[in-house]
Amino acid sequence: MKPLCLSSPYVLPSLLIRFLLIFIVTLKTMALVKLPPNISVPALLVFGDSIVDTGNNDNNLLTSARCNFPPYGKDFKGGMPTGRFSNGKVPSDIIAEELGIKELLPAYLDPKLQPHELPTGVCFASGGAGYDPVTSETAAAISLTGQLDLFKEYTSKLRGLVGENKTNFILANSVFLVVFGSNDIANTYFLSRIRQVQYDFPSYADFIVHSASDFLKELYQLGARRIGVFNAPPLGCVPSQRTAAGGTTRKCVARYNEAAELFNSKLSKEMKSLNQKYPNSRMVYIDVYNPLLDIIINHKKYGYNVEDKGCCGTGLIEVVFLCNRLVPTCPNVLEYVFWDSFHPTESAYKKIVAPILEKYVKDFV
């Protein structure tokens, strides 16, 4: 079926347009993860940082956290950079496909975004963003507040397309994914040390968990009911952090991993509290820390030869503008866990996402 173009010179009656858009909502790709009987997931709506950004930062000229140039997108359809911080798809796309919603999740700020895409979901994430407002400000990324503002604008457009009742149904039954925290811990606290003057790490973890909690409450007030939240990954084993603080042998940085684990435990506890406070919602704490750590430690088992360097350049420090068309890439990206010094490859993302969806999907209903 060809996508509906609302800019067509043929003016359709508004009721017919609304009917066609509602019909499009029901069109699915083949779901790979098995959903419980009679469960509908009409859309995926994503908030977060570069792990899930599908191109919003392409249209944010204030930030240097952009990747709309080769070799990013090297293995994406057409081999073109799309603003995704990887060689191919990112978790936003993979989850949308696994749930049978659509193959790719478009960035909300993509100027080519078509109205028919709205009912099945979009991405509001911005590379460099964090729960801490200082994190987003430092990276000139779209902050939590900014991403919520985009979501409010999105819901207004959605009401105009499919009506109030259908919009409420979409919001209540869609999966909302929230992915922040890595930049707060790795960049704002440890790398720049901006927050170390004010907080020891346990206090800082409390601060960003409180910010996360406020964000989730706001999403709930705006109609979200099925909300999945990624915990922080094992940041001490990311290539750039190994290079910066892992010594001459570039071992995993234990204190960074311990900080991520402390944040994760506090986040998990807070989400249990929120689920008790909002019993008609499903706020699901999703562990990505241990699956990624397992892939890194046991990389040979997963078919990888290199776990401590990125495929781009030397693999030690190259990320965003340092990973560019002037630096070489590895001969075979499928042998690498990481694409650049901070972001996994599409292959690694797929090995993480499919099992966690199988594990957590029933928690959303």
Side-chain angles (χ1 to χ4, degrees), residues 93-111:
D93 305 306
I94 299 166
I95 292 172
E97 187 171 21
E98 288 277 339
L99 291 175
I101 296 170
K102 52 188 172 184
E103 182 183 3
L104 300 171
L105 193 72
Y108 180 68
L109 293 181
D110 184 347

Side-chain angles (χ1 to χ4, degrees), residues 40-61:
S40 170
V41 180
L44 176 66
L45 296 155
V46 175
F47 303 80
D49 55 27
S50 59
I51 297 299
V52 286
D53 186 353
T54 57
N56 285 306
N57 272 18
D58 281 5
N59 300 286
N60 177 10
L61 300 180

Side-chain angles (χ1 to χ4, degrees), residues 90-155:
V90 294
S92 305
D93 305 306
I94 299 166
I95 292 172
E97 187 171 21
E98 288 277 339
L99 291 175
I101 296 170
K102 52 188 172 184
E103 182 183 3
L104 300 171
L105 193 72
Y108 180 68
L109 293 181
D110 184 347
K112 296 181 181 178
L113 180 68
Q114 295 297 308
H116 75 267
E117 292 276 16
L118 299 182
T120 50
V122 292
C123 176
F124 306 100
S126 173
Y131 288 122
D132 184 345
V134 168
T135 301
S136 299
E137 183 179 347
T138 302
I142 305 169
S143 66
L144 292 183
T145 301
Q147 292 187 32
L148 280 174
D149 288 342
L150 292 179
F151 173 63
K152 291 173 186 176
E153 180 182 280
Y154 159 84
T155 55

Side-chain angles (χ1 to χ4, degrees), residues 175-191:
V175 168
F176 288 69
L177 181 65
V178 177
V179 183
F180 295 98
S182 296
N183 295 316
D184 299 314
I185 299 169
N187 297 334
T188 303
Y189 196 81
F190 285 113
L191 181 62

